């Protein structure tokens, strides 16, 4: 398992801060593109969709950390907090674009949140991420204790399913892409189910 | 029928095919006519004849670069990227059902019997974006009168070409192909209902439904079926694609109506494409602003029920 060993050795050496910086810059780059005509004919929707999709991708990456360690022996645990916080950053920006650039009409925003299932689902998913982002630091883990902290952070499973569902519900017709996202999320969650020993031994 | 909208141009002006495909000459005439109609005292939303809006049209690049045509993919830029493969010459339209002269009509033959004119229409997508499009085309009524609508006909059904080799979306099964649309006969015969063959001074771009598409400006955009290969006159309401895909969300009529929301989003407002990153939404108008012209078609109907 040379590849796994290399990855694990790399994991210990590489710092996380360049990832924070890199991921944080992407939306700023997109904003620049949007202001200069680089996001196509309908830049508001493009920015909104890109932020939502990248948020889901990073969320899926964070959900993959545990299965990768368990089934492939690849340890990326040091990056998990970064992936979680970056997810929150993108989804918060996605929401802000919807509020401040897309809809803007306060009465319609409220009506949408209450009446439109895909928006309701997306909002609930985002709200669930707030306590997770607030406690994604070492001080909170100590304060809550590892057991309670872990229980709290299992909320991400529900938030991820709601995020995938949000995508599936909003498209018109039968489209594969959102189903791939939701399928990946459900698949990664199923890998966490406790398998009977028979399966593990085989 | 030609003449309901005055135009001094007729088929003899555009006999050579190269000419009617480029339409530059025709457009010069129609443009002058439209400007004349707009020079009236009141800058109303619609010009005096009620057909052409004076709002600023979207650019050719916006109209041909951002749209839905699921046969070529579900992304807004997929049609522009993939439609080049579509063969539009030769093209014929099968006209059948309750008509006096059924048959396969070549595209050139269809154009031979009509007068082309420019109509600048608002276009409102069911997804709450909109454009203003300078179409070139003829009234559907002209074609229907030519083939002779029989007295029992109450509806018109349309079908889009199905070309799995040329349309990557077909094999992905987004909808139950062929794409189907339909109108009530009085809607089809309405002078606003256009069969478009071009936009600006260009022949219809393939991604916008070349060579021949429907434009029904008071209905959501998906009713304006593209790349038509079949027109059938029927005595009952035909099945239509989005209604078949989701009966609850897409009705047969699908008239633009700010008071009847889509189950998943509001239809009260829309954003005109092309305004950049800070473009605000604008209120959606009843029947997309064509209320004076078409509300009479629906007198006594519950528009909430018949959405």
């Amino acid at each position: 398992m040379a590849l796994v060993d290399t990855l694990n050795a790399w994991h210990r050496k590489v710092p996380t801060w360049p990832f924070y910086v890199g991921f944080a810059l992407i939306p700023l780059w997109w904003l620049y593109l949007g202001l200069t005509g680089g996001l196509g004919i309908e830049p508001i929707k493009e920015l909104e969709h890109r932020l939502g999709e990248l948020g889901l991708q990073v969320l899926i990456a964070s959900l993959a950390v545990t299965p990768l360690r368990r089934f492939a022996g690849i340890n990326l645990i040091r990056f998990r907090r970064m992936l979680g916080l970056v997810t929150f950053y993108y989804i918060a920006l996605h929401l802000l674009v919807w509020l401040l650039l897309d809809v803007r009409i306060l009465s319609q925003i409220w009506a949408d949140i209450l009446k439109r299932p895909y928006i309701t689902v997306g909002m609930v998913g985002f709200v669930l991420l707030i306590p997770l982002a607030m406690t994604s630091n070492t001080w909170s883990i100590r304060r809550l204790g590892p057991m309670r902290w872990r229980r709290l952070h299992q909320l991400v499973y529900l938030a991820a399913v709601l995020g995938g569902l949000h995508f599936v519900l909003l498209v018109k017709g039968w489209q594969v892409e959102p189903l791939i996202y939701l399928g990946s999320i459900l698949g990664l969650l199923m890998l966490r189910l406790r398998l009977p020993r028979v399966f593990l031994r085989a | 029928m030609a003449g309901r909208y005055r135009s001094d141009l007729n088929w003899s002006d555009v006999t050579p095919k190269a000419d009617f495909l480029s339409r530059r000459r025709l457009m010069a005439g129609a443009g002058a006519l439209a400007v004349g109609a707009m020079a009236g005292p009141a800058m109303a939303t619609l010009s005096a004849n009620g057909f052409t809006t004076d709002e600023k049209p979207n650019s050719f690049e916006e109209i041909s670069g951002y749209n839905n045509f699921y046969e070529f993919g579900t992304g807004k830029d997929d049609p522009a990227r993939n439609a080049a493969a579509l063969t539009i010459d030769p093209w014929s339209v099968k006209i059948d059902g309750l008509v006096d002269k059924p048959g396969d009509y070549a595209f050139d033959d269809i154009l031979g019997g009509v007068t082309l004119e420019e109509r600048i229409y608002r276009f409102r997508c069911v997804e709450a974006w909109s454009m203003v499009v300078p179409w070139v085309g003829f009234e559907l009524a002209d074609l229907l009168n030519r083939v002779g609508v029989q007295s029992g006909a109450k509806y018109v059904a349309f079908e889009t070409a199905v070309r799995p080799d040329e349309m990557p979306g077909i094999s992905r099964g987004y909808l139950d192909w062929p794409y189907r649309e339909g109108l009530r006969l009085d809607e089809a015969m309405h002078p606003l209902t256009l069969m478009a063959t071009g936009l600006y001074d260009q022949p219809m771009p393939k991604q916008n439904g070349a060579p021949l598409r429907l434009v029904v400006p008071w209905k959501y955009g998906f009713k304006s079926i593209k790349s038509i290969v079949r027109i059938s006159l029927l005595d009952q309401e035909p099945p239509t694609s989005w209604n078949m895909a989701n009966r609850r969300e897409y009705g047969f009529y699908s008239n633009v109506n700010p008071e009847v929301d889509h189950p998943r989003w509001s239809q009260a407002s829309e954003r005109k494409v092309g305004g950049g990153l800070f473009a605000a939404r604008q209120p959606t108008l009843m029947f997309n602003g064509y209320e004076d012209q078409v509300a009479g078609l629906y007198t006594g109907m519950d528009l909430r029920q018949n959405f």
Side-chain angles (χ1 to χ4, degrees), chain A residues 41-197:
Chain A
I41 289 162
E42 185 47 344
I44 299 174
K45 278 289 166 204
E46 181 68 21
L47 188 60
E48 194 175 285
H49 292 168
R50 283 192 187 191
L51 286 166
E53 282 191 36
L54 189 61
L56 278 176
Q57 287 160 11
V58 179
L59 179 58
I60 288 170
S62 76
L63 289 176
V65 169
T66 296
L68 273 177
R69 188 172 52 168
R70 188 165 166 205
F71 297 104
I74 299 169
N75 190 356
L76 296 172
I77 192 75
R78 273 184 60 230
F79 295 100
R80 194 170 65 176
R81 177 187 293 171
M82 179 272 294
L83 292 171
L85 285 169
V86 166
T87 297
F88 180 76
Y89 170 63
Y90 289 149
I91 299 304
L93 288 178
H94 170 72
L95 176 63
L96 278 178
V97 168
W98 181 71
L99 290 173
L100 302 180
L101 295 180
D102 190 351
V103 185
R104 291 196 226 174
I105 306 161
L106 206 57
S107 58
Q108 197 174 320
I109 288 170
W110 268 120
D112 278 352
I113 292 174
L114 298 176
K115 275 164 65 183
R116 317 285 163 208
Y118 84 92
I119 293 177
T120 314
V121 161
M123 276 305 293
V124 172
F126 172 74
V127 168
L128 291 180
L129 292 180
I130 296 174
L132 308 193
M134 286 170 60
T135 55
S136 285
N137 52 69
T138 314
W139 181 79
S140 292
I141 298 174
R142 271 200 216 107
R143 185 76 203 266
L144 288 166
M147 286 305 284
R148 269 195 297 172
W149 186 90
R150 199 168 301 151
R151 285 280 294 282
L152 175 66
H153 278 249
Q154 280 170 350
L155 277 178
V156 77
Y157 302 153
L158 182 56
V161 171
L162 293 174
L165 197 59
H166 169 71
F167 194 8
V168 170
L169 287 175
L170 72 87
V171 295
K172 251 174 39 179
W174 185 249
Q175 297 189 28
V176 177
E177 197 188 358
L179 291 172
I180 293 175
Y181 280 85
L182 183 60
S184 309
I185 290 165
L186 292 175
L188 287 168
L189 294 187
M190 284 199 307
L191 290 176
R192 288 168 160 79
L193 297 175
R194 288 217 184 86
L195 298 174
R197 278 180 179 278

Side-chain angles (χ1 to χ4, degrees), chain B residues 1 93 95 99 105 109-111 113-114 138-149 158 189 195 212 231:
Chain B
M1 140 194 6
V93 181
I95 303 183
V99 291
Y105 287 80
D109 182 24
I110 290 173
L111 281 186
V114 297
F138 57 90
E139 291 183 15
L140 174 60
D142 291 356
L143 179 60
L144 295 181
N145 286 331
R146 183 178 160 203
V147 298
V149 177
F158 306 85
M189 298 299 279
M195 292 296 269
L212 186 67
I231 301 174

Side-chain angles (χ1 to χ4, degrees), chain A residues 31 34-35 39 41-45 47 98 101-105 108 112 115-119 168-176, chain B residues 61-62 65-66 68 70 74 125-127 172-174 242 250 261-266 268-269 271 273-274 276-281:
Chain A
L31 190 63
L35 290 168
L39 285 187
I41 289 162
E42 185 47 344
I44 299 174
K45 278 289 166 204
L47 188 60
W98 181 71
L101 295 180
D102 190 351
V103 185
R104 291 196 226 174
I105 306 161
Q108 197 174 320
D112 278 352
K115 275 164 65 183
R116 317 285 163 208
Y118 84 92
I119 293 177
V168 170
L169 287 175
L170 72 87
V171 295
K172 251 174 39 179
W174 185 249
Q175 297 189 28
V176 177
Chain B
E61 288 67 31
E62 287 161 357
Y66 187 90
N68 285 318
Y70 276 22
T74 54
C125 179
V126 73
E127 297 164 359
R172 292 183 210 143
Y174 303 125
W242 279 106
Y250 309 99
D261 285 341
H262 186 282
R264 288 182 286 146
W265 55 82
S266 166
S269 67
R271 188 166 49 245
V273 168
L277 206 50
F278 301 108
R281 293 197 188 205

Side-chain angles (χ1 to χ4, degrees), chain B residues 199-213:
Chain B
L199 53 91
Y200 278 101
D201 59 351
Q202 303 285 321
M204 188 65 72
K206 290 177 178 176
Q207 60 268 34
N208 293 93
L212 186 67
R213 65 168 291 170

